Amino acid sequence: MIPIPTFIGALACCALLWPASLARANDSDAALHAAVAAERARPAAPRHPRTAFVSDHAPRAVQLSPDGRHVAYLRTQGQAHSLWLLPTQAGGEARRLLARTQAEQLLWSRDGRWLFVIAPRTLSILGLDGGGIRIPLGGSEQREVMRVDPSQPAAVVLRERVRDASGQRWRIVRLDAHGRRTPLWEDPHWVHEVAFDASGRLVALTRSEGDHNAIHRVDADGTLRSARRVEPMARASLLGITAQGDLLLRGDTGGNFKRVLRLDREGGLHTLHVDPHGEADLDGLALDPVTGQPLIASYRSTVAASYGIGPAEDRVAAISSHFAGRDLEIDVGRGPGAYWLVSERDSTLRDPRWHLYDPRSGAFRRILAQEVKASRPLPETALAQKIPFTYRASDGMRVHGFLLLPPGADPARVPLVAQVHGGPINHFRPGYDGIAQLLANRGYAVFQSNFRGSTGHGRDYMFASHGDYGNGRVQQDIVEGVRYLLAQGVGDPERVGIVGHSFGGYSTLLGVTFSPELFKVGVAGAPPADFGWSMKWLVDAGDQGARPDGSLIAMLRALSIDPTDPETYARLHAQSPVANAEKLRRPLLILAGGADRTVAIREVIHYAARLQLLGKQVSLYVEPGGGHSPVDPLPREAYVYLMETMLHSHLGGAKPDAPGVELRAYLQKNLRLVGPEFAAIAGSVRQSPRKAPQP
């Protein structure tokens, strides 16, 4: 029981805060209305092919060398890439270093003379003047690249497993550009990060210790000295060390938001930079290529913004002013005359734009424009602005979200689709989203909720779910966000749907099962039908459950969704879509990968079969050999075509373009259950019941 004086004091406090809170809510509503009006005033967008929204042919892994003299990048070529090198001096021609590679990540050596090219199974070390070696990754040693060694001219740090009769350990190895290996450390615990002093000596590491991580200093004789225990689900990534011996970190340990931190020798934690608006986690950080000190901090949970730290403050402010309103990633070249690389992104830019910035003159020069043009980018006029807003849940908590509207349309007369992100430890960002943009182009308003439990808005926000991931508080945030938008005049209340992938697919099943009066149709990609069972399977058999640091089970316990706890398991099952399958009254499309190692395909098929036996209207598509998400062009087109068709059939958005011969044949082969929405292309595929939706 709360003591009466405390209770009265709490009421008085609420009375004082209520007008300010109401003012914030009114300001948020007014900003949303203004943004909605601006979208309605825009010219209507022309229709574009569905493949244009999900294609991915622009340059990737674009990286500036530390000396600012070269930009390396990958050019997409079918299912592989080629590696190219562009001089930053005006007039320099790009040259190809590799004709074909499966690499997805590029790292520069500190001296700018070598490239570390990282593919799923191979590390290639390439010299700009020729020569190179290849090192296998993965395998029984589980070898992987941790980082470039900032203390050496040209070396990376590897982590690999060592197994013998006494068990297994984790070895940290320095590998230089010529293939020379230097063992640095062995540990029975999984080592996350390491830091070196200027001489190359290992001086600090972070490692997993049961349900938490810990930061240790390493003395010259190899003795570990505890520097900080990191709370469960907190982050404290080790960046490096200052000249004075303080450790540099990025994370949310010791506070709410992810930020730039300094851990002094006495264990004191100091914030070097945090979101000035107090609402977003740190999302990106650029370091000085010489000193390793933090130079640029970026935040992207609501409105994207980048800030210079110390000597970079004025230049970053100038760059941000030049690209006002854009999401920027900035890489800094070494020395006052070196070029900087600026990546310009936005919700209306499918493909980023890259620019070289000369810090001496303040001038900008665009690069890779022809590469982007070759990928046939969508015009910005065809894409919807992503509008950030907040709404108040029924328990008083402010919840974050985004809204996309078809340009030029009356917002009150368009169908509304709730798109739910995966994870759930994830969040929508203000950047480009292909599925959302496709739906907006087809005439739908799209609502993206960063419901409580999402990341990006601090630890308090993430833990505010209190494990209520069934038909409870988390799902309520999504439902109440839809109702909030309808009350603001956004969306036709008779034409509301819900879509999502992974956890978003699970939320979709919850929506059409428990809120059929609101959601008229659902499209669920890779959906767990029983969240408790799915998390237990993931721990026991899925790829993520095999993490060497045991972080998955620790994370689930910290979030109060431990599937090994009988009470939690029973609660999640009782609220699951599969246990309440008879309540489904709305048409449903399920999409899945036949070799998914995150959500078991047998769980998806079991749920679909149960719905079919109950006479529910369900369609099921399975990508043969597909993983958790479609990757290849044809499965990606199949995914969006099926979604378009399902939503058009029940919400009245634009009719999808007819599938080509190849796509039609692919769908006929891989549609396992077919509702009336897909009867025209089904051929001899077994039909799902043509049962009319119940009111």
Side-chain angles (χ1 to χ4, degrees), residues 66 108-114 116 148-155 177 334:
W108 279 97
S109 64
R110 195 193 71 180
D111 63 10
R113 297 174 56 195
W114 299 83
F116 302 102
V148 169
D149 189 336
S151 69
Q152 305 297 307
R334 179 173 59 227

Side-chain angles (χ1 to χ4, degrees), residues 99 133 136 163 196 215 270 446 578 634 662:
I133 58 174
R163 291 195 288 189
F196 305 93
I215 305 172
H270 309 271
V446 182
V578 71
L634 190 60
E662 185 181 16

Side-chain angles (χ1 to χ4, degrees), residues 28 220 223 349 443 469 534 622:
S28 178
T223 302
L349 283 177
Y469 287 103
S534 186
V622 178

Side-chain angles (χ1 to χ4, degrees), residues 442-493:
R442 298 306 190 252
Y444 301 93
V446 182
F447 163 53
Q448 298 180 328
S449 174
N450 279 333
F451 46 83
R452 75 190 69 192
S454 300
T455 53
H457 296 283
R459 282 169 52 80
D460 293 347
Y461 194 84
M462 180 177 64
F463 280 113
S465 62
H466 299 298
D468 201 1
Y469 287 103
N471 183 38
R473 188 62 260 179
V474 169
Q475 187 69 12
Q476 235 179 310
D477 281 354
I478 298 164
V479 169
E480 290 172 359
V482 172
R483 297 196 185 282
Y484 166 80
L485 287 174
L486 293 173
Q488 303 303 313
V490 175
D492 179 349

